[in-house]
Amino acid sequence: MPRPPPAGRRRERAVMRILQRLRQTQQAEALRQEAESAFFATAWHQGNQGPLVPWEARAVELGARPLSARAALRTLQALWAHDRHLSTLTPEALARMERYLHFAAVKAQRDVILQDEYGNFMVVVLSGELVVNRRQPWGETLRLAQTGPGDLLGEMSLLDSGQRFSSCTTLVDSELAVLSAEALDDMLVHDPALAAQLIAILARKLSVRLRAVSSRLGHQSP
């Protein structure tokens, strides 16, 4: 009788199954109504992919200033403690996330995410405000959201390195936590239990957000 795979291997396989289901579900929704993904700042890409803009390159463009990881992590813990999905991450789990995150301060009126570019990172707002704008095909600029501390932006690009479907701009000086696709891959290898929990949370939040955007944009289209 074959031996069962080690616990770490089973968790890693479970994570990959979650990712596969999430991507299949999101792709079906995006094909049904492309505009529904506007709020996430990403869209499913059809055709050849353009140049990828990683966080390291964007940080240089923004003149982002590194923050103290310890202080930033305390802020993140306090913010996520009030989120019904993210509060399921224990303080110990959040502490393990520190090695996978970048923490940075960004000045006001800086484009952290640009519409139509390809990116592979998401950001968490620690302090300040960012506005999410979508330039519509008929020329109108639609303000999709104004985000504040605790909010997440760009989650779908974290999973698929897809085309950004809207822009995210700081309204005031802001502090951010950044998780890249490379860091998530590293987490899958070295801490699969944490990666599985984080991906499951993102899947739930994306589902809720997709429903909200579908409802809103249904009343915005010309």
Side-chain angles (χ1 to χ4, degrees), residues 54-86:
W55 168 249
E56 290 78 8
R58 181 49 40 81
V60 172
E61 295 175 4
L62 296 173
R65 177 175 57 83
L67 295 173
S68 163
R70 181 171 298 181
L73 190 63
R74 285 199 299 267
T75 300
L76 184 63
Q77 290 173 335
L79 291 170
W80 281 5
H82 301 288
D83 184 287
R84 70 187 183 96
H85 297 296
L86 292 162

Side-chain angles (χ1 to χ4, degrees), residues 65-121:
R65 177 175 57 83
L67 295 173
S68 163
R70 181 171 298 181
L73 190 63
R74 285 199 299 267
T75 300
L76 184 63
Q77 290 173 335
L79 291 170
W80 281 5
H82 301 288
D83 184 287
R84 70 187 183 96
H85 297 296
L86 292 162
S87 61
T88 59
L89 286 168
T90 65
E92 187 272 336
L94 279 170
R96 301 203 318 267
M97 283 188 62
E98 178 181 342
R99 62 175 290 191
Y100 303 105
L101 295 170
H102 294 280
F103 300 101
V106 178
K107 293 290 187 181
Q109 302 303 315
R110 300 289 197 276
D111 293 320
V112 177
I113 289 173
L114 285 171
Q115 183 175 330
D116 296 330
E117 72 181 5
Y118 292 84
N120 64 348
F121 62 88

Side-chain angles (χ1 to χ4, degrees), residues 20-77:
Q20 184 178 16
R21 289 178 188 142
L22 176 60
R23 286 168 175 159
Q24 288 173 346
T25 300
Q26 290 170 339
Q27 190 168 24
E29 289 294 334
L31 290 172
R32 183 179 67 82
Q33 186 178 359
E34 180 184 346
E36 288 184 343
S37 60
F39 185 84
F40 314 64
T42 61
W44 287 92
H45 176 50
Q46 304 294 323
N48 295 325
Q49 180 169 319
L52 189 70
V53 181
W55 168 249
E56 290 78 8
R58 181 49 40 81
V60 172
E61 295 175 4
L62 296 173
R65 177 175 57 83
L67 295 173
S68 163
R70 181 171 298 181
L73 190 63
R74 285 199 299 267
T75 300
L76 184 63
Q77 290 173 335

Side-chain angles (χ1 to χ4, degrees), residues 92-158:
E92 187 272 336
L94 279 170
R96 301 203 318 267
M97 283 188 62
E98 178 181 342
R99 62 175 290 191
Y100 303 105
L101 295 170
H102 294 280
F103 300 101
V106 178
K107 293 290 187 181
Q109 302 303 315
R110 300 289 197 276
D111 293 320
V112 177
I113 289 173
L114 285 171
Q115 183 175 330
D116 296 330
E117 72 181 5
Y118 292 84
N120 64 348
F121 62 88
M122 78 169 190
V123 301
V124 184
V125 184
L126 299 178
S127 69
E129 292 180 297
L130 283 82
V131 65
V132 182
N133 289 324
R134 161 69 179 166
R135 188 178 63 256
Q136 301 288 55
W138 53 89
E140 177 188 4
T141 296
L142 177 64
R143 176 164 292 192
L144 299 174
Q146 186 166 321
T147 65
D151 289 329
L152 281 65
L153 296 167
E155 305 99 308
M156 283 181 66
S157 283
L158 176 69

Side-chain angles (χ1 to χ4, degrees), residues 6 8 18-19 24 28 30 60 73 81-82 139 143 145 151 161 164 166 179 181 194-195 199 208 212:
I18 291 171
L19 275 171
Q24 288 173 346
V60 172
L73 190 63
H82 301 288
R143 176 164 292 192
D151 289 329
S161 300
R164 306 287 195 181
S166 60
L179 178 65
L194 177 61
I199 291 169
V208 171

